Amino acid sequence: MPRIKSLVHSLRFGGITGLAALMPLLPGSALASEAPIHNGASQVAITLTGDKGGSCKLDHDAAKAGPVTFKVTNKTATSINEVELLSNDRILGEKENLAPGLPTVGFTVTLGGGKYQIYCPGAAKETVAFTVKGKAVKKSGTVANLFADGTKGYAHYVDGVVDAMVTAVGQLNAAIQAGDIDKAKAVYPGSRAFYERIESDVDGFVLPGFKATDNAGNLDYLIDMRASNLDPAVGWHGFHAIERDLYQNNAITDGTKKLAAELYANVKKLDELAGKLKYQPEDLANGAADLLEEVQTSKITGEEEAFSHVDLIDFAANIEGAEQAFAFLKPGMEKIDPDLTSLVAKQFANVHKVIETYRDPKVPGGYKVYTAALKASDAAKLSKIIQALQEPLSKISEKVATAR
Amino acid sequence: MNDDAVEKTGEKAAGGMHLSRRGMLLGAVAGGFGAAIAPSHAEAGSSSKASTGSDDEIDLDRSIPFYGEGVAQAGIHTPPQRHILYMTFDLTTTDQRALQVLLARWSAAIAQLMKGEPIGQVEPERQGAVGFDTGEALGLDPASLSVTVGLGPRIFTEALGLADKRPPLMRELKQLPSDAFRPELTGGDLSLQACCDDQQVAYHAVRDLARIAKQTGVAQTRWTVMGFGRASAGKGQTTPRNLFGFKDGTRNIVDDEDFARHVFIADGPKWQHQGSYQVVRKIAMHIENWDTDRVSDQNAVFGRHKVSGAPLSGTYEFETPDFAARDANGDLLIPANAHIHLAAHENNGGIKILRRSYNYTDGINAVGQLDAGLLFISYQKDPAQFETLQERLGASDGMNEYISHIGSAIFFVPPAPREGSYIGEALFSAQT
């Protein structure tokens, strides 16, 4: 499991010059009051109240360069539940789950000289200027760099998965060309997992010479279309048409052989295209969210593998793909929002605990067959554990998008 | 969409939307109006327009306060609104701090919702952001929304470190005659009772609160019922009808004196004062059988006349039933197994409960019958009040032939929080 080992621990944020024009200075900023220093850090109190449609006030709107501790208290503001420290729209630190009555919470960041903003979504005036006086700090080990490393690492992961898919589909094709239905059924379940790990990254590919709206040139359609979404003008291709032949018709025909050869060719085309992909951090976050949507809409419903009922293999693969994307964002996310990061990590762990209970080494592909009875008894449990992951995970995209 | 919102806002500014149920739906209704709104407890309503005499008037512009000092949560004493969205939740954590965060986030969000405000941005400016609020209530008025939060028996356990904060009378309900519960419709660690004169506003409230439960990793949905046509009268309201076609709640608690005596807790640890126990039963009605039963038998099952609501011993709805009255043959006018005979406080040592029920339908069931009934909700200061009544009803109510209690749950409803606090805050502080 590739993960980034070289965490950069120092957290120093670049002071940004030339930003003055972006934030209009407050009338009182000439009289900015500088935060006192205790325990080696400047101390700034942020108070949220319900006054005037929600207000977000700082006791000091300036500090000396160095560590700054922000302590946030929500007294009566029902419309505000988070506060962020921004530098030119990049999130440097934040606190969520602020609500009236909860104890004061704080976060500390080391800031160089420059202009910053305290962002209180839901307040009547959402942004408050904050100034740090002193030397600007050079960018080093920034969150942006951590994310850049993460996206590169994730690209390698996708390459590896697609390479492995070419091999697995090659074996499936070979078994089908040889007319060996037992072998084909032994290989099919295992061949599914690769596409399901990365499908959110590759579902937009259109072959050269085709319009974006023509399914005949849509690689995702040609590889993974299910019976429920067929386009009669293009017909059925790919994994699930083969699945129907193997598990419902229980026969390999010339048509099956043609489908298998075509699938193998299309997977190789996918391999070429996937190698050229570049990712932004939010692509990883959105891709992970899309894979969880896939779990909800087609795996837990048993729609994906309607004939072979190997949906739990795809379920586990979707989760693995989502978790990999998250893992590559994690070093940067921990700097921005450690609470959210640990909650998402915890929910992934919960999902794993549940998936493990469905393992069955005797079944090809390694997971229990998702029978109608198993679906009836377990689908709600599976859906709920994914819901608990989906909600916090959906918050990641905006955090990482701002870090570029 | 935006144009709509603007138009709606304009309309609101011009004085809100006022729909009189009397004018709108009922050409003529016999008696029962005229009681002026006399709000007390947390639900002293605010409205841009002075109320005109009856709680039966729907004023979509009306909002109910969420915060209060030394009062009950809204949604108990509040005159029943037209619709309900009721949902229970299972805790997914044993972290006390996480529960505290959820109750505080819920409280802040409910305060917003009851004002008719979104709980946060619907369309965030920031790229890649998901909405804080899901948006379907934008442009809609508060419509007297109340959201009442209940805490189930498993909240007050060692696992959460809250065993010492268990309200003294909190426990699971004992097994009662004719209980036929389905596990998937029973129990829960938290409950939300959202009542509103606009069904969409109620749905939006619970949907967005359920989302917060998942975002904070604290709780997961368990079961839910969407109800309509309030089936229990509050003060000043005409008695509504349940799906049997009978008036329901003729003898419901309406006076503050009775609320104090039977509903709101006023003793024991201070943090439970003005709290109450919420008992919920999902009661399926066997509609087809009922509809083919002769009305004289239906009347005997209730002990009342179907149209007038009068007890079988009398002529007018609000006459005190005479449980000893007999006809010329010497038979009781109100049969001994009639619903009102078994449930009356006169026959139960003075016990009363506040009923705040709604009709529901779940469509058509697996065997092709109308799937409908009553979401029974009662409030009482001691769960034993409900048990005493249901023990008798479950054993011998003539109605049992036509109903099944298929779901059940009990919750403690803490008092309203003061501003700057949240529901249940006292559970997490040192004071007892």
Side-chain angles (χ1 to χ4, degrees):
Chain A
M1 224 161 122
R3 283 177 196 273
I4 295 171
K5 303 273 189 210
S6 58
L7 274 180
V8 184
H9 287 290
S10 69
L11 182 64
R12 283 181 294 157
F13 290 103
I16 302 201
T17 51
L19 250 188
L22 284 174
M23 282 301 307
L25 291 178
L26 289 173
S29 62
L31 303 168
S33 75
E34 196 169 293
I37 297 177
H38 296 301
N39 302 323
S42 298
Q43 304 288 323
V44 179
I46 302 175
T47 304
L48 312 176
T49 65
D51 304 344
K52 295 170 191 159
S55 101
C56 178
K57 280 190 178 148
L58 279 58
D59 65 343
H60 301 285
D61 59 5
K64 279 202 173 65
V68 184
T69 297
F70 295 92
K71 292 217 164 124
V72 192
T73 309
N74 187 343
K75 283 196 165 154
T76 54
T78 54
S79 65
I80 309 171
N81 60 57
E82 67 177 59
V83 167
E84 296 173 350
L85 171 70
L86 304 179
S87 165
N88 191 19
D89 289 336
R90 279 190 306 130
I91 306 171
L92 304 183
E94 71 174 298
K95 277 292 160 189
E96 288 170 356
N97 284 320
L98 306 165
L102 289 177
T104 299
V105 288
F107 62 98
T108 301
V109 283
T110 300
L111 301 174
K115 302 268 175 222
Y116 298 85
Q117 303 84 40
I118 300 294
Y119 177 57
C120 307
K125 181 175 176 295
E126 293 188 323
T127 306
V128 182
F130 185 75
T131 310
V132 174
K133 296 167 190 166
K135 227 169 84 183
V137 180
K138 271 194 197 145
K139 274 193 190 182
S140 159
T142 60
V143 171
N145 288 344
L146 291 172
F147 284 139
D149 289 347
T151 54
K152 279 182 222 148
Y154 180 71
H156 284 300
Y157 167 73
V158 174
D159 285 348
V161 171
V162 180
D163 286 348
M165 173 161 45
V166 172
T167 307
V169 172
Q171 288 168 355
L172 178 66
N173 183 43
I176 288 173
Q177 300 307 334
D180 186 342
I181 194 160
D182 293 338
K183 180 80 189 294
K185 281 188 187 178
V187 177
Y188 173 83
S191 73
R192 293 287 303 138
F194 305 102
Y195 194 77
E196 296 297 320
R197 282 179 197 140
I198 51 127
E199 61 181 320
S200 59
D201 299 313
V202 296
D203 62 7
F205 285 135
V206 177
L207 294 174
F210 288 91
K211 284 187 189 155
T213 52
D214 185 355
N215 283 325
N218 178 323
L219 263 187
D220 182 51
Y221 182 94
L222 295 173
I223 291 173
D224 198 36
M225 193 41 56
R226 302 178 301 269
S228 53
N229 288 79
L230 283 189
D231 178 349
V234 181
W236 206 354
H237 302 260
F239 275 117
H240 297 299
I242 295 170
E243 182 201 3
R244 170 203 53 191
D245 287 0
L246 296 180
Y247 293 88
Q248 188 183 54
N249 302 341
N250 203 21
I252 292 174
T253 63
D254 287 349
T256 320
K257 291 181 183 178
K258 206 173 141 214
L259 286 169
E262 181 195 48
L263 175 65
Y264 189 35
N266 281 330
V267 166
K268 284 193 277 192
K269 278 182 206 162
L270 182 70
D271 192 23
E272 282 170 39
L273 291 166
K276 296 177 188 149
L277 282 178
K278 297 247 185 310
Y279 302 92
Q280 296 295 343
E282 63 269 30
D283 295 335
L284 275 61
N286 294 334
D290 289 348
L291 288 176
L292 297 183
E293 285 177 20
E294 284 281 331
V295 172
Q296 290 284 23
T297 54
S298 55
K299 277 67 177 191
I300 291 174
T301 57
E303 196 185 286
E304 182 81 35
E305 305 286 354
F307 308 105
S308 63
H309 307 298
V310 298
D311 303 88
L312 292 177
I313 295 170
D314 301 358
F315 183 117
N318 281 158
I319 299 297
E320 188 199 303
E323 189 168 23
Q324 283 298 317
F326 171 67
F328 282 109
L329 294 175
K330 210 173 160 199
M333 273 301 295
E334 273 166 349
K335 304 289 184 197
I336 299 176
D337 192 339
D339 292 345
L340 178 63
T341 309
S342 69
L343 178 59
V344 171
K346 191 184 104 184
Q347 300 296 4
F348 266 118
N350 283 343
V351 173
H352 272 299
K353 242 189 281 173
V354 172
I355 293 179
E356 284 306 309
T357 64
Y358 293 93
R359 278 198 190 274
D360 186 346
K362 296 192 292 293
V363 180
Y367 288 90
K368 283 183 188 167
V369 177
Y370 197 51
T371 59
L374 186 59
K375 185 172 106 178
S377 61
D378 289 27
K381 178 178 86 178
L382 291 170
S383 174
K384 285 180 182 185
I385 197 110
I386 298 300
Q387 288 172 40
L389 172 60
Q390 272 181 302
E391 277 292 348
L393 187 124
S394 72
K395 309 277 278 185
I396 292 180
S397 176
E398 63 176 301
K399 315 278 182 194
V400 301
T402 59
R404 279 192 272 152
Chain B
M1 289 258 307
N2 279 343
D3 287 349
D4 280 356
V6 169
E7 208 177 289
K8 198 80 192 356
T9 310
E11 184 180 54
K12 199 172 170 182
M17 188 173 175
H18 303 278
L19 293 178
S20 158
R21 180 173 160 85
R22 258 189 302 183
M24 192 171 60
L25 296 177
L26 306 171
V29 172
F33 292 117
I37 290 176
S40 58
H41 294 274
E43 51 275 353
S46 75
S47 167
S48 60
K49 185 187 176 187
S51 299
T52 52
S54 169
D55 277 359
D56 258 13
E57 180 187 72
I58 291 176
D59 176 358
L60 295 178
D61 203 31
R62 184 183 297 154
S63 68
I64 294 172
F66 170 69
Y67 293 112
E69 294 248 27
V71 297
Q73 280 188 57
I76 304 176
H77 187 275
T78 311
Q81 302 92 324
R82 297 284 147 181
H83 305 280
I84 189 170
L85 203 291
Y86 185 85
M87 191 177 279
T88 81
F89 296 81
D90 289 326
L91 277 191
T92 53
T93 180
T94 51
D95 178 359
Q96 188 193 102
R97 160 80 189 163
L99 175 63
Q100 187 183 6
V101 164
L102 176 63
L103 291 172
R105 286 283 314 272
W106 267 5
S107 298
I110 292 168
Q112 289 288 111
L113 292 163
M114 285 172 59
K115 282 188 284 187
E117 305 284 340
I119 62 168
Q121 295 168 342
V122 172
E123 193 176 338
E125 280 173 40
R126 183 178 287 162
Q127 189 201 342
V130 291
F132 283 90
D133 184 290
T134 55
E136 72 272 26
L138 279 185
L140 299 178
D141 290 320
S144 297
L145 173 72
S146 63
V147 182
T148 312
V149 177
L151 309 174
R154 289 194 303 165
I155 294 291
F156 306 99
T157 54
E158 295 293 349
L160 275 163
L162 293 172
D164 60 330
K165 294 292 170 66
R166 189 176 63 83
L169 301 177
M170 186 54 168
R171 56 185 165 79
E172 297 285 358
L173 289 171
K174 66 180 182 187
Q175 199 190 336
L176 295 163
S178 302
D179 283 355
F181 304 145
R182 297 188 201 149
E184 72 275 17
L185 302 174
T186 298
D189 299 324
L190 297 163
S191 73
L192 292 176
Q193 172 201 280
C195 297
C196 192
D197 287 327
D198 183 329
Q199 208 157 9
Q200 179 140 329
V201 172
Y203 187 83
H204 167 258
V206 173
R207 174 188 179 181
D208 281 34
L209 294 168
R211 211 170 152 230
I212 293 174
K214 291 171 207 170
Q215 279 165 2
T216 50
V218 180
Q220 191 52 262
T221 56
R222 183 170 176 87
W223 57 277
T224 189
V225 178
M226 191 164 89
F228 57 94
R230 62 173 168 73
S232 292
K235 191 164 188 163
Q237 295 179 330
T238 45
T239 316
R241 293 177 188 273
N242 56 38
L243 295 182
F244 282 143
F246 275 77
K247 294 192 174 194
D248 203 330
T250 296
R251 307 189 83 198
N252 207 6
I253 288 176
V254 289
D255 296 329
D256 285 349
E257 211 176 286
D258 269 352
F259 271 97
R261 188 177 304 140
H262 301 285
V263 180
F264 295 125
I265 298 165
D267 55 10
K270 209 163 184 190
W271 47 261
Q272 71 164 356
H273 290 195
Q274 299 306 308
S276 189
Y277 292 93
Q278 176 192 65
V279 170
V280 187
R281 312 282 274 196
K282 189 172 185 184
I283 305 174
M285 292 176 170
H286 310 309
I287 300 272
E288 284 83 354
N289 288 352
W290 178 259
D291 290 351
T292 51
D293 187 31
R294 59 202 184 280
V295 173
S296 59
D297 188 60
Q298 294 184 348
N299 287 354
V301 163
F302 271 87
R304 290 188 181 276
H305 290 285
K306 195 168 186 177
V307 174
S308 68
L312 296 181
S313 61
T315 320
Y316 305 105
E317 182 191 352
F318 292 101
E319 259 181 274
T320 303
D322 182 347
F323 296 109
R326 292 176 187 273
D327 63 15
N329 297 327
D331 295 327
L332 285 172
L333 286 173
I334 301 172
N337 67 344
H339 187 75
I340 67 164
H341 200 137
L342 293 163
H345 60 91
E346 291 91 341
N347 304 326
N348 288 286
I351 288 177
K352 292 184 185 180
I353 56 176
L354 173 70
R355 285 164 288 157
R356 218 173 177 289
S357 308
Y358 288 82
N359 303 317
Y360 78 83
T361 174
D362 286 341
I364 290 175
N365 69 17
V367 291
Q369 299 161 336
L370 293 178
D371 193 350
L374 186 75
L375 178 68
F376 171 95
I377 300 176
S378 71
Y379 287 93
Q380 48 272 304
K381 54 169 43 170
D382 182 347
Q385 289 165 259
F386 169 80
E387 287 171 336
T388 302
L389 299 179
Q390 182 54 26
E391 190 144 37
R392 299 189 74 203
L393 289 166
S396 48
D397 191 354
M399 196 184 286
N400 290 340
E401 198 180 326
Y402 299 100
I403 59 171
S404 300
H405 283 236
I406 56 175
S408 176
I410 181 170
F411 298 91
F412 171 70
V413 176
R418 62 179 163 70
E419 193 180 10
S421 176
Y422 57 91
I423 290 167
E425 185 185 24
L427 298 177
F428 307 96
S429 63
Q431 53 176 296
T432 49

